[in-house]
Amino acid sequence: MKEDEVALLKARIAELEHRVKISQQTLRQYALIKRKHKEALDFLNSQKRFTASIIESSSHAVIAINHQKRVVLFNGAAERIFGYTKKEMLNKDTLHLIIPPKYYKDHVRAVDHFLKTGESIGIIGGRVELEGQRRDGTLFPVRIGFGVGENNGKRVIIANIEDITKERRQSQMMQQHNKLAAMGEMIGAIAHQWRQPLNTLATAVQNLELDYAEGLLCDEQYVKEFIQKNKQIIKFMSKTIDDFRSFVRIDTEKESFDVMEATQDVVNMLSAQLNHHGIKVSVRGESFLFKGYRSEFQQVIMNLLSNAKDALLQADVVEPTVTVTISKGKIEVCDNGGGIDESVLPRIFEPYFTTKKEQGTGLGLYMSKMFIEEHMGGTLEALNRGDNACFVIHLRVKDKVHV
Ligand SMILES: Nc1ncnc2c1ncn2[C@@H]1O[C@H](COP(=O)(O)OP(=O)(O)OP(=O)(O)O)[C@@H](O)[C@H]1O
Ligand SMILES: [Mg+2]
């Protein structure tokens, strides 16, 4: 072989070796990419399984619908809560089975609007309390959180639904408990309220015999006065009972009521008892009309007055006073019993929080806050003003000031 041929061959071999090297490198890179791809896929799948197991093990029902309004997710809790199986619900437009008819129209409107425009009507990202419908047709209270997600590039709407039947029942129980306590207090107040007029009536009746003996019963004027005076007493006693009945009643419908009148009725019922303890109560300011649950509002006033009375009896102040000041949309109940201990102030609205040992249930302020804030959309706050403990209720009113 010639020298130049040898050189050429060597050059070829070198080139081939170089190519082999590059191919080997490419192969190695390819294998690496393949491995990374598999790892990524495995990771994605494990994430998917992880998410699915979170959703499946959740105690809340998790339901999602796609852009065609078909149910694409219906977890185990949803099956338990609503009584339908995944098989019955999935891949079909089946939400009408679990949404009560009264909400269904609004639901369709909100979903259509969102799917078309991407705009929420305010519930996505938020939480609402509504009702759900079980397979047997019964309705139950639910708290729903809405969110949005994507499935294969298309929008899905996700609902996270909590069955709050137990929570509601517990809250109703607490409500009843507090109502009973307030009624007990009221009955005590009525006993006080009646003691004096009953004594007067009893004395008047006892004196009838004497009056007869003295021939007074033939005196028309005397008899008229006798009747008039005692009728007045009976009227007062019967008013106490009427006020009490309106207080005991459980309101089912909101009504427009005069806030000062409703407050005054409670104060009247308690006045004899408060007087007995030397406590002065004054209701002042300008009244307004509010649409809400009258007896729940009265229960709040009752709780605040009862707390003020307890504080005043404990504080032993010279001139124990409770002042209720009313102005449009605002009711303030203040007492000069020394104020609320700063160390307990942050906790007084917690359920069962009391500093009165066995004497208190600790539900008074918790229920009051719930009535005002959740049932009437207002606020109830506590603050100290010097030696005075003040409770401030704010109510949203649209009405004109009513005098
Ligand atoms: N006017 C007030 N002055 C001082 N402390 C108060 C006043 N009102 C409430 N508190 C404090 O707040 C606590 C909670 O009040 P809340 O009405 O919820 O329960 P309670 O009065 O202890 O029990 P219940 O209302 O069932 O009799 C009271 O125990 C008391 O320590
Ligand atoms: Mg109380």
Side-chain angles (χ1 to χ4, degrees):
M1 221 185 277
K2 284 192 192 140
E3 221 169 275
D4 47 349
E5 276 177 346
V6 170
L8 205 69
L9 215 62
K10 270 188 181 164
R12 267 213 50 96
I13 289 169
E15 195 196 320
L16 279 173
E17 272 177 355
H18 180 66
R19 280 204 188 158
V20 166
K21 227 185 213 165
I22 287 178
S23 299
Q24 275 173 339
Q25 252 173 18
T26 315
L27 266 174
R28 266 202 305 274
Q29 269 168 359
Y30 178 68
L32 193 74
I33 289 169
K34 211 173 146 191
R35 209 176 67 230
K36 288 258 187 256
H37 183 241
K38 188 173 174 310
E39 272 172 17
L41 259 179
D42 285 351
F43 178 70
L44 215 70
N45 279 332
S46 84
Q47 284 293 308
K48 251 188 177 169
R49 280 196 302 275
F50 181 56
T51 314
S53 73
I54 290 176
I55 292 173
E56 206 43 44
S57 64
S58 167
S59 60
H60 294 186
V62 184
I63 300 173
I65 53 167
N66 69 6
H67 61 289
Q68 292 164 315
K69 291 190 257 181
R70 290 197 180 152
V71 176
V72 288
L73 176 66
F74 197 79
N75 71 345
E79 289 184 311
R80 274 195 308 280
I81 292 175
F82 291 99
Y84 291 97
T85 62
K86 288 186 175 64
K87 208 170 155 206
E88 286 169 309
M89 294 298 288
L90 285 174
N91 303 318
K92 283 169 273 188
D93 183 354
T94 41
L95 281 192
H96 61 276
L97 294 172
I98 59 168
I99 299 177
K102 60 178 168 185
Y103 299 125
Y104 194 65
K105 245 198 206 154
D106 284 341
H107 156 79
V108 172
R109 203 173 316 132
V111 169
D112 281 345
H113 183 74
F114 178 72
L115 290 175
K116 233 181 260 161
T117 62
E119 286 167 19
S120 147
I121 53 156
I123 52 171
I124 286 178
R127 295 207 298 174
V128 286
E129 285 184 10
L130 299 168
E131 276 174 314
Q133 180 173 275
R134 293 196 188 87
R135 186 183 197 116
D136 61 11
T138 51
L139 303 184
F140 63 103
V142 289
R143 183 177 298 123
I144 313 182
F146 290 98
V148 279
E150 239 185 49
N151 196 7
N152 298 328
K154 295 270 200 249
R155 264 192 205 117
V156 290
I157 303 176
I158 305 158
N160 198 306
I161 304 165
E162 192 183 349
D163 180 351
I164 54 170
T165 311
K166 268 196 197 141
E167 200 178 297
R168 279 277 167 88
R169 215 173 281 151
Q170 202 191 3
S171 148
Q172 273 162 2
M173 255 170 56
M174 285 199 218
Q175 212 164 313
Q176 246 160 8
H177 200 153
N178 180 243
K179 185 102 192 172
L180 276 176
M183 269 166 60
E185 190 115 355
M186 277 288 175
I187 289 170
I190 289 176
H192 263 283
Q193 198 89 324
W194 275 21
R195 191 164 295 149
Q196 172 85 27
L198 261 181
N199 276 342
T200 317
L201 274 181
T203 318
V205 171
Q206 261 171 19
N207 286 346
L208 264 184
E209 213 172 4
L210 279 176
D211 295 345
Y212 177 73
E214 283 174 28
L216 282 169
L217 293 191
C218 302
D219 180 345
E220 194 188 338
Q221 185 60 25
Y222 178 82
V223 173
K224 266 191 182 155
E225 268 173 29
F226 180 90
I227 293 175
Q228 181 63 23
K229 210 170 66 195
N230 291 312
K231 253 189 175 171
Q232 207 61 37
I233 294 174
I234 294 167
K235 203 168 144 197
F236 167 79
M237 291 173 79
S238 119
K239 167 94 169 67
T240 314
I241 287 295
D242 285 344
D243 290 347
F244 180 65
R245 275 179 51 189
S246 95
F247 174 82
V248 169
R249 194 183 58 198
I250 306 241
D251 297 319
T252 46
E253 298 247 336
K254 287 185 179 181
E255 56 169 329
S256 194
F257 65 88
D258 185 300
V259 167
M260 190 173 278
E261 216 175 273
T263 308
Q264 192 66 58
D265 281 352
V266 181
V267 172
N268 288 347
M269 277 188 279
L270 296 176
S271 62
Q273 194 182 40
L274 294 169
N275 281 341
H276 172 78
H277 292 298
I279 298 171
K280 279 208 187 88
V281 188
S282 72
V283 182
R284 56 192 195 196
E286 228 175 320
S287 187
F288 62 95
L289 288 179
F290 178 70
K291 193 165 189 227
Y293 302 110
R294 188 176 195 269
S295 81
E296 285 190 4
F297 174 78
Q298 288 190 311
Q299 201 172 329
V300 173
I301 298 296
M302 162 83 210
N303 283 332
L304 298 182
L305 290 177
S306 154
N307 281 348
K309 183 193 75 191
D310 291 345
L312 288 167
L313 289 183
Q314 217 193 11
D316 202 17
V317 282
V318 190
E319 266 189 64
T321 314
V322 187
T323 316
V324 185
T325 316
I326 300 177
S327 58
K328 196 186 175 189
K330 188 175 168 190
I331 302 108
E332 253 187 40
V333 181
C334 296
D335 67 77
N336 61 348
I340 308 154
D341 204 308
E342 289 292 338
S343 65
V344 306
L345 190 57
R347 299 194 56 199
I348 58 172
F349 290 106
E350 289 174 15
Y352 302 112
F353 178 81
T354 178
T355 54
K356 299 171 192 169
K357 307 213 171 86
E358 297 85 49
Q359 304 295 327
T361 63
L363 286 176
L365 288 178
Y366 170 74
M367 287 315 309
S368 301
K369 202 173 178 65
M370 196 181 90
F371 285 148
I372 296 292
E373 304 197 344
E374 285 175 34
H375 295 187
M376 299 184 221
T379 58
L380 169 63
E381 272 148 16
L383 52 110
N384 284 321
R385 243 182 241 144
D387 273 350
N388 290 11
C390 288
F391 288 84
V392 188
I393 302 170
H394 281 279
L395 296 172
R396 269 180 288 168
V397 275
K398 287 177 213 120
D399 311 61
K400 287 201 182 95
V401 177
H402 174 84
V403 191

